[in-house]
């Protein structure tokens, strides 16, 4: 979707302390061979800080950087991957209360790791359709330190890191302009992430933990029995989303300075993102994601903020922000950097 007059006025990530994979191996939580294969040096670890509180911390900084006042906001869109708090409770309204605290709609975007990019698309639509309130606040927050997921062994594709992230999407100029945003899905691949797990009762209600490796093993065994797995290719879906969004922005891959991708481990990152986009790790943000792990839906904003804060992109540069989620769906945004490099402490929330 090509957009007009939509900007990122402020972004921020809340990244807690690092927990090294070397330490995890020494403590028996992670296998050394898996560590070598993944290439991940550390993950962010929040201890007992809740996902919504990580989102609140990031949101306060993003709003401060944006220059917007609370009354400018018409909505809050909150994304998460893991459990947020008490069952039947509204994390998004908690985040709303502790940030802009306005009587506006607060919506949870349940789109897995693609949550913030999907929320960006929804925010752009809202701002173009209803310009009387010039800003929408996007937030995300997850803490994977619960008994229902083993961050070290849930998947060979990634290691889970805790984080909060926020973005102020605005009709006023900020540090970047959104040129296009959209997504492509391959619903025939839905069953890959379900495997042989029963749909009812839902796994968490009977104490079943998240283990994507078990579901992959289910399909390996089915294939060995002569039952073909659902058809589709992860990388093809990513490439389709990227090239369609580039075309809508009027650009080609040659115009893209850097790519902010999600935090997959080394081999899956190449197979699913870098190779389909025909770029190397240096044009991506591997040097960053190998230190944080996979931050759920916070990945795209955390990666873009990293490029901006470290001065790796400057005014006039184009950045591709890309991610994916089970479904299977891939999303992409093309942004043009329009502001000067962020200065440490400038607009930060104490």
């Amino acid at each position: 979707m090509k957009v007009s007059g939509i900007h990122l006025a402020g972004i921020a990530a809340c990244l807690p302390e690092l927990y090294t994979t070397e330490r995890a191996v020494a403590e028996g939580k992670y296998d050394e061979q898996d560590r070598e294969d993944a290439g991940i040096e550390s993950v962010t670890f929040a201890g007992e800080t809740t996902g919504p509180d990580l989102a609140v911390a990031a949101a306060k900084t993003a709003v401060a950087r944006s220059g917007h006042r609370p009354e400018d906001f018409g909505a809050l869109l909150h994304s998460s991957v893991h459990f947020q708090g008490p069952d039947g409770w509204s994390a998004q309204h908690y985040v709303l209360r502790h940030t802009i605290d306005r009587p506006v709609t607060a919506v949870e975007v349940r789109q897995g790791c693609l949550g913030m990019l999907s929320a960006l698309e929804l925010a752009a639509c809202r701002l173009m359709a209803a310009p009387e309130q010039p800003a929408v606040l996007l937030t995300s927050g997850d803490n994977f330190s619960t008994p229902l997921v083993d961050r070290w062994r849930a998947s060979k594709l990634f290691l889970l890191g805790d984080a909060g992230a926020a973005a102020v999407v605005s009709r006023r100029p900020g540090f970047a302009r959104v040129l296009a945003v959209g997504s492509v899905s391959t619903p025939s691949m839905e069953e890959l992430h379900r495997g042989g797990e029963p749909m009812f009762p839902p796994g968490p209600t009977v104490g079943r933990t998240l283990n994507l490796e078990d579901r992959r093993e289910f399909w390996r065994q089915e294939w060995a029995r002569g039952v073909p797995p659902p058809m589709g290719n992860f990388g093809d879906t990513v490439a389709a989303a990227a090239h369609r969004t580039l075309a809508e922005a009027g650009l080609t891959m040659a115009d893209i300075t850097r790519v902010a991708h999600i935090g997959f481990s080394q081999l899956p990152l190449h197979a699913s993102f870098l190779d389909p986009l025909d770029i190397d790790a240096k044009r991506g943000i591997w040097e960053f994601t190998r230190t944080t792990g996979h931050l759920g839906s916070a990945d795209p904003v955390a990666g873009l903020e990293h490029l901006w804060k470290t001065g790796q992109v400057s005014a006039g540069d184009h950045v591709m922000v890309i991610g994916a989620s089970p479904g299977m769906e891939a999303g992409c945004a093309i942004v043009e950097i329009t502001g000067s490099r962020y200065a440490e402490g400038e607009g930060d929330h104490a």
Side-chain angles (χ1 to χ4, degrees):
M1 177 181 72
K2 183 176 182 178
V3 300
S4 176
I6 303 299
H7 306 266
L8 296 177
I11 58 171
C14 177
L15 302 179
E17 66 182 42
L18 299 181
Y19 197 120
T20 68
T21 52
E22 184 178 19
R23 173 185 168 186
V25 170
E27 293 172 345
K29 297 176 179 178
Y30 193 37
D31 299 323
E32 176 60 32
Q33 187 59 57
D34 288 342
R35 176 178 178 269
E36 293 177 10
D37 292 342
I40 302 294
E41 298 174 355
S42 56
V43 300
T44 46
F45 178 71
E48 295 186 357
T49 304
T50 72
D53 284 321
L54 294 171
V56 167
K60 288 180 176 179
T61 300
V63 172
R65 289 174 178 171
S66 75
H68 275 286
R69 300 171 299 173
E71 54 267 33
D72 294 334
F73 291 86
L76 180 146
L77 306 179
H78 179 67
S79 306
S80 64
V81 173
H82 200 45
F83 296 95
Q84 298 286 283
D87 192 22
W89 167 74
S90 174
Q92 61 268 30
H93 289 94
Y94 175 92
V95 176
L96 177 66
R97 176 189 173 194
H98 290 280
T99 54
I100 55 177
D101 196 20
R102 298 287 296 166
V104 298
T105 186
V107 178
E108 182 182 25
V109 180
R110 293 291 294 173
Q111 187 69 326
C113 306
L114 197 55
M116 290 202 84
L117 275 171
S118 296
L120 174 59
E121 184 173 0
L122 294 172
C125 289
R126 179 186 175 93
L127 290 171
M128 288 190 292
E132 60 273 9
Q133 289 175 303
V136 173
L137 179 58
L138 312 185
T139 64
S140 175
D142 275 301
N143 183 338
F144 296 100
S145 307
T146 78
L148 284 177
V149 61
D150 181 344
R151 72 172 74 238
W152 307 105
R153 295 190 169 98
S155 175
K156 300 283 189 184
L157 298 177
F158 49 75
L159 298 179
L160 292 166
D162 310 328
V168 176
V169 187
S170 175
R171 292 186 62 83
R172 299 177 187 170
F175 85 96
R177 180 165 63 103
V178 182
L179 303 180
V181 59
S183 58
V184 172
S185 73
T186 306
S188 61
M189 297 177 68
E190 165 272 325
E191 201 173 359
L192 282 176
H193 295 96
R194 180 159 46 93
E197 188 170 313
M199 292 176 61
F200 191 87
T205 66
V206 293
R208 187 179 298 118
T209 62
L210 174 66
N211 192 321
L212 298 179
E213 287 307 302
D214 282 352
R215 300 179 196 177
R216 292 176 68 190
E217 180 59 28
F218 169 84
W219 283 114
R220 282 191 286 265
Q221 293 178 6
E222 289 293 285
W223 201 352
R225 292 195 310 112
V227 179
M231 299 304 293
N233 183 278
F234 196 115
D236 289 346
T237 306
V238 168
H243 292 303
R244 190 179 78 178
T245 311
L246 279 169
E248 290 167 344
L251 301 173
T252 69
M253 203 66 205
D255 299 309
I256 300 299
T257 305
R258 298 293 293 273
V259 175
H261 51 70
I262 63 177
F264 271 14
S265 298
Q266 191 167 219
L267 294 177
L269 175 63
H270 277 268
S272 300
F273 288 92
L274 302 183
D275 293 348
L277 297 176
D278 196 24
I279 63 172
D280 60 20
K282 290 183 179 179
R283 199 164 164 201
I285 53 169
W286 170 243
E287 90 289 344
F288 172 67
T289 60
R290 72 183 305 178
T291 68
T292 64
H294 179 23
L295 306 176
S297 57
D299 265 338
V301 166
L304 180 58
E305 188 212 32
H306 168 74
L307 290 174
W308 178 50
K309 284 184 67 173
T310 56
Q312 295 183 56
V313 291
S314 57
D317 288 340
H318 294 102
V319 179
M320 173 181 288
V321 185
I322 194 159
S325 70
M328 184 267 168
E329 187 160 333
C332 180
I334 307 297
V335 303
E336 179 186 2
I337 305 300
T338 55
S340 59
R341 180 186 173 210
Y342 162 82
E344 195 67 40
E346 179 185 333
D348 281 355
H349 178 85

